[in-house]
């Protein structure tokens, strides 16, 4: 694809860099991603770049991976630190025909897919912190940002961009410098050594399966989400209509919303936003 600042091509499976060649050769010939996978050397944000390409007509299945993001973005306008060579940063373009009510659940579906992808690559027993954080040993390992610009005329979005960032090689000092001491972790810190290409491949395979399953296999994803969700039974604080409440997380509802028993004794339901474990 023109206009992309691609990383230098690598023919051998790398120990350090991501490899377009390795990823393409490891995917099935009929994979949705064949011929549409691009490894960039440096980009502000793979999500931002892919949204631009989507608006210019890039096909479904276009995938951007980056060695480094200079302006990696998270939910709630937060920054996602993306140091060079230390993580997997990828975005996938889809043009799903499903109803908007199903599209709203894609973040939760992606959380299940990310867990499967990471586990298949290295065996790390990852869990989900509602709604879209993947945690290992109680600390954040991976973040998910799904963006689907709604058209002004209303109706279904023209495209959806699924962004995933996984911490692989960061040291405790890196997280200290980022102000994330005790909050974030990497596969290396927890003793899982694996290549970035291997984790990227695990994610691609899980995302391809997700797209085959979406939205028909909702029950299977919902059950797996519930099983992997470490938030249930925990005391949390959450925002409702701009006010902070505390409560206990009770269950994941059929639309992946979280129901809670508030400290005020009332039931609450949260369908978006972030929670804090307390
Ligand atoms: C979060 O933790 O709030 C979400 C983080 C999502 C990070 C990924 S990295 C690839 C893609 N590009 C971005 O700018 N963000 C997502």
């Amino acid at each position: 694809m023109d206009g992309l600042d691609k990383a230098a091509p690598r023919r051998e499976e790398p120990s350090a860099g991501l490899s377009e060649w390795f990823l393409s050769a490891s995917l099935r010939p009929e994979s949705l991603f064949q011929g549409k996978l691009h490894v960039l050397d440096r980009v502000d944000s793979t999500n931002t770049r892919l949204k631009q390409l989507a608006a210019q007509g890039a096909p479904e299945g276009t995938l951007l991976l980056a060695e480094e993001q200079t302006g990696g973005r998270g939910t709630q306008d937060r920054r996602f630190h993306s140091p060079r060579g230390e993580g997997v940063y990828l975005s996938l373009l889809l043009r799903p025909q499903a109803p908007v009510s199903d599209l709203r659940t894609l973040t939760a579906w992606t959380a299940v897919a990310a867990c499967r992808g990471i586990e298949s690559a290295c065996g790390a027993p990852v869990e989900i912190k509602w709604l879209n954080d993947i945690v290992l040993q109680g600390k954040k390992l991976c973040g998910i940002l799904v963006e689907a610009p709604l058209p002004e005329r209303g109706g279904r979005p023209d495209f959806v961009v699924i962004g995933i960032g996984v911490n692989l090689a960061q040291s405790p000092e890196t997280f200290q410098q980022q102000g994330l001491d005790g909050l974030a972790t990497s596969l290396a810190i927890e003793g899982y050594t694996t290549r970035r290409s291997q984790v990227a491949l695990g994610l691609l395979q899980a995302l391809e399966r997700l797209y085959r399953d979406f939205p028909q296999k909702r029950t299977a994803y919902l059950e797996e989400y519930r099983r992997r969700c470490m938030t249930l039974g925990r005391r949390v604080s959450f925002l409702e209509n701009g006010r902070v409440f505390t409560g206990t997380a009770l269950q994941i509802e059929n639309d992946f919303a979280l129901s809670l028993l508030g400290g005020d004794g009332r039931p609450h339901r949260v369908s978006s936003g972030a929670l804090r474990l307390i």
Side-chain angles (χ1 to χ4, degrees):
M1 189 164 291
D2 289 342
L4 292 179
D5 177 20
K6 296 239 200 173
R10 293 168 199 270
R11 289 264 147 223
E12 77 288 6
E13 186 185 342
S15 56
L18 289 167
S19 161
E20 239 172 64
W21 173 83
F22 168 72
L23 291 170
S24 300
S26 308
L27 290 168
R28 293 175 303 125
E30 65 277 18
S31 163
L32 172 67
F33 311 135
Q34 286 295 3
K36 293 182 254 174
L37 188 157
H38 311 277
V39 177
L40 309 181
D41 187 54
R42 176 192 284 172
V43 69
D44 54 351
S45 150
T46 51
N47 264 38
T48 305
R49 188 77 186 96
L50 193 52
K51 284 198 290 180
Q52 291 162 353
L53 295 174
Q56 293 162 15
E60 167 156 271
T62 302
L63 250 163
L64 296 186
L65 294 105
E67 295 286 347
E68 172 184 4
Q69 294 186 120
T70 53
R73 297 185 293 108
T75 51
Q76 273 114 40
D77 287 330
R78 279 195 284 240
R79 183 166 173 210
F80 186 79
H81 295 277
S82 315
R84 184 172 198 80
E86 304 216 329
V88 171
Y89 319 118
L90 70 80
S91 298
L92 166 64
L93 172 63
L94 296 176
R95 297 186 183 276
Q97 297 302 306
V100 172
S101 57
D102 284 322
L103 296 181
R104 288 208 183 93
T105 66
L106 254 180
T107 299
W109 280 65
T110 304
V112 171
C115 287
R116 290 177 179 172
I118 296 167
E119 256 180 27
S120 73
C122 67
V126 280
E127 299 176 294
I128 300 170
K129 174 176 166 279
W130 189 93
L131 169 69
N132 59 339
D133 284 344
I134 308 304
V135 299
L136 181 57
Q137 304 298 343
K139 296 180 194 161
K140 179 162 169 171
L141 178 78
C142 161
I144 293 163
L145 178 63
V146 176
E147 299 185 281
L150 284 170
E152 277 172 22
R153 62 180 189 281
R156 181 192 297 139
D158 290 334
F159 62 84
V160 175
V161 168
I162 295 180
I164 303 179
V166 186
N167 301 327
L168 255 93
Q170 288 91 336
S171 63
E173 293 71 38
T174 305
F175 291 125
Q176 254 163 28
Q177 285 157 13
Q178 295 169 355
L180 296 173
D181 198 16
L183 299 175
T185 194
S186 68
L187 288 174
I189 291 173
E190 304 302 335
Y192 296 91
T193 47
T194 179
R195 293 187 172 98
R196 283 187 301 137
S197 277
Q198 208 59 50
V199 173
L201 179 63
L203 292 173
L204 299 196
Q205 288 168 334
L207 285 169
E208 187 155 27
R209 180 172 164 200
L210 176 157
Y211 201 45
R212 265 202 316 273
D213 294 344
F214 184 79
Q216 297 82 4
K217 298 210 174 151
R218 181 194 188 97
T219 307
Y221 279 73
L222 189 56
E223 279 170 8
E224 187 165 341
Y225 189 99
R226 287 175 173 146
R227 184 166 55 73
R228 289 184 180 273
C229 186
M230 51 82 83
T231 314
L232 299 180
R234 301 283 300 264
R235 297 232 333 122
V236 298
S237 66
F238 57 98
L239 269 180
E240 194 181 73
N241 301 325
R243 286 181 57 198
V244 180
F245 287 85
T246 57
T248 305
L250 292 182
Q251 68 167 342
I252 307 296
E253 299 191 0
N254 289 345
D255 60 355
F256 295 91
L258 181 67
S259 65
L260 304 111
L261 177 63
D264 55 4
R266 288 194 301 121
H268 293 258
R269 183 188 136 92
V270 191
S271 52
S272 62
L275 288 182
R276 259 177 203 278
L277 300 176
I278 51 179

